[in-house]
Amino acid sequence: MGSVPAEELSLDLRPTFIPKTITDFLSHLSSIPSNPDKLSRLHDFLSRLEDELSKIHAFKRELPLSMLLLNDAISLLKTESNKCTPRHSPPVLEEFIPLKKEHHHDDDQDRYHLRENLDNENECRDKKNWMSSVQLWNNHNKLETKKSEEEGQSVAGDPFRSCSNKNGGGRAFMPFSTFSCSSSSVPVTSVSLAAATKEEKEESVMNGLSLLSPVMKSLKEGCASRGSRSSTSNRAASSSPPTLHRATTIQQQQQQTARKQRRCWSPELHRRFVNALQKLGGSQAATPKQIRELMQVDGLTNDEVKSHLQKYRLHTRRVPASSANQPVVVLGGLWMSQEQYNDSSKVSSSGSGSPQSPLLLGAGTSRTEGDSMEDDEDAKSESYSWKSHMHKPGKIDV
DNA sequence: ATTCAAATAT
DNA sequence: CATATTTGAA
């Protein structure tokens, strides 16, 4: 473990010294007159960096940028070390020159970023352990405390985008939104849009510039409608310390696993959906494509509609079926299995919380055969409650 | 742990 | 396009 050679300890370097930046360290270094001292410090720092690199190596997928930074710092310092070494006078351009012969890893760190496969079990185990101890990536799970609901109402024009603004909760990251796709000031640096030209679907954009699967995903999580492609987060790579640069090509390979962002069917969206549906003559007459066309919602994909339609059908089927068998809760209770439990409606003084009329027309009970409801005119009317749960009490008006 | 909903696979 | 299964979020 903590095996630092005695001679190193005898030197005056503080093992715990941590400069703010590499630049700081270097300038610190330059104030040391003695070359051997310089080298000692340099090496000390280097080994700490390498130590850290080996720790983080298990997370190279999740923290590609950290890897990048570390690698960069290491190579920089190695270069510096070479400069100070009397042997190698030429400043040299590239890094890996094993100036630590006692080092056992012949797999030089500089290659860490090249090979990301071939993870041995060691690494996985490592990762697991770390993960359990340090919870680094849970952020995207529940990083929002539903502190104040009434924040995002200002969300620009797009009514469809209304649903999830859960991202803000996180920390530090900018509140990407507000300015939609207009001329705007997309900061951006390199990766950036490019893909944005095509108006196809935002997933292309996302796939195009998404970095890192888990982390970034959490960021993207919040807004997904096409209206707000905005400036998601790609500044990550741009903000490196002055001395560190040299963009690398890591990370790009591993986010092929990017999953499509869940479409959130906001009430508005659903309304359009239902409208389209009835224009097309009922839920089972309509076809996803037609529906989508009719909805005229930009960025909405066929599959999304399809999926929604599927759910819709399921729900609309279930309700009347129960009406045949159980004349019970047709109107009063409204088959609310577990949905309307959100009585968030009565929030404080607003009063008029629940617009979903629990009464409707009494026609429902009459049908003895549950299946005879081809035209879901009424089904639709009822069905509007099938989605009356709404995660967010956020009131929405057209 | 359960359950609903969207995504994706068949 | 429909249905089944998977994934993931509440």
Side-chain angles (χ1 to χ4, degrees), chain A residues 57-105:
Chain A
H57 187 208
F59 299 98
K60 60 190 170 193
R61 275 182 235 270
E62 290 82 2
L63 301 174
L65 294 182
S66 298
M67 291 285 293
L68 169 73
L69 258 38
L70 271 177
N71 272 319
D72 212 18
I74 287 173
S75 67
L76 190 86
L77 290 191
K78 283 188 176 178
T79 305
E80 196 61 26
S81 165
N82 287 337
K83 283 185 198 164
C84 300
T85 306
R87 322 283 280 266
H88 303 79
S89 36
V92 171
L93 14 93
E94 265 315 308
E95 53 271 46
F96 51 84
I97 292 173
L99 34 83
K100 303 184 86 77
K101 57 266 186 179
E102 76 268 14
H103 248 24
H104 43 288
H105 36 276

Side-chain angles (χ1 to χ4, degrees), chain A residues 3-11:
Chain A
S3 62
V4 183
E7 65 258 26
E8 278 194 3
L9 278 181
S10 65
L11 296 173

Side-chain angles (χ1 to χ4, degrees), chain A residues 110-390:
Chain A
D110 297 301
R111 256 177 225 152
Y112 280 171
H113 56 276
L114 290 184
R115 48 212 308 122
E116 64 99 30
N117 39 6
L118 303 177
D119 322 340
N120 35 29
E121 290 75 21
N122 273 347
E123 175 181 318
C124 292
R125 204 156 26 80
D126 247 77
K127 185 186 279 187
K128 293 286 168 52
N129 291 342
W130 268 60
M131 299 248 287
S132 54
S133 58
V134 200
Q135 304 231 327
L136 222 46
W137 350 92
N138 289 355
N139 43 10
H140 78 283
N141 218 356
K142 311 176 185 292
L143 48 58
E144 74 137 350
T145 57
K146 36 203 63 180
K147 36 181 180 199
S148 61
E149 316 279 41
E150 52 178 2
E151 39 106 41
Q153 267 29 325
S154 57
V155 284
D158 219 354
F160 310 121
R161 162 194 190 307
S162 57
C163 65
S164 57
N165 314 354
K166 44 186 69 175
N167 44 45
R171 50 210 279 138
F173 295 110
M174 70 221 167
F176 55 79
S177 62
T178 53
F179 47 85
S180 49
C181 56
S182 59
S183 60
S184 79
S185 53
V186 207
V188 173
T189 50
S190 48
V191 251
S192 79
L193 8 118
T197 57
K198 185 62 183 197
E199 45 81 58
E200 197 39 38
K201 48 211 71 180
E202 90 254 8
E203 70 213 56
S204 63
V205 175
M206 282 172 40
N207 287 340
L209 46 71
S210 70
L211 327 152
L212 352 161
S213 17
V215 182
M216 282 316 184
K217 232 166 90 184
S218 71
L219 291 179
K220 293 183 291 215
E221 212 96 37
C223 64
S225 132
R226 91 169 293 74
S228 63
R229 49 187 26 85
S230 72
S231 62
T232 17
S233 48
N234 24 17
R235 53 221 305 116
S238 72
S239 64
S240 52
T243 54
L244 308 179
H245 47 278
R246 157 187 135 182
T248 32
T249 59
I250 354 168
Q251 76 243 109
Q252 232 106 3
Q253 308 144 309
Q254 57 213 26
Q255 61 271 19
Q256 45 193 217
T257 332
R259 206 179 162 85
K260 207 161 102 68
Q261 156 73 24
R262 255 185 183 224
R263 175 128 228 133
C264 179
W265 283 83
S266 70
E268 285 320 307
L269 211 47
H270 181 67
R271 223 179 50 74
R272 282 183 99 107
F273 172 81
V274 169
N275 279 352
L277 218 53
Q278 72 184 114
K279 278 181 197 158
L280 290 171
S283 62
Q284 65 275 36
T287 184
K289 199 184 296 182
Q290 297 174 296
I291 297 175
R292 197 205 59 211
E293 319 233 312
L294 234 152
M295 286 175 70
Q296 300 254 357
V297 173
D298 196 19
L300 188 62
T301 73
N302 244 358
D303 286 349
E304 288 166 336
V305 174
K306 196 203 297 180
S307 182
H308 195 66
L309 179 62
Q310 180 179 10
K311 189 184 57 162
Y312 183 88
R313 281 168 172 164
L314 280 174
H315 278 250
T316 49
R317 193 136 310 179
R318 234 180 71 182
V319 176
S322 68
S323 72
N325 293 342
Q326 308 158 358
V328 203
V329 277
V330 178
L331 300 180
L334 257 178
W335 63 280
M336 36 164 85
S337 48
Q338 94 255 40
E339 338 230 37
Q340 359 291 106
Y341 63 93
N342 68 338
D343 38 30
S344 56
S345 51
K346 289 80 187 174
V347 204
S348 66
S349 59
S350 62
S352 65
S354 60
Q356 66 270 35
S357 54
L359 8 126
L360 304 172
L361 5 101
T365 53
S366 63
R367 62 163 66 69
T368 46
E369 309 117 15
D371 55 338
S372 69
M373 43 141 9
E374 295 312 302
D375 56 347
D376 30 19
E377 292 302 337
D378 51 348
K380 167 186 55 61
S381 53
E382 299 182 51
S383 68
Y384 197 31
S385 62
W386 73 267
K387 204 201 169 152
S388 56
H389 52 315
M390 286 279 303

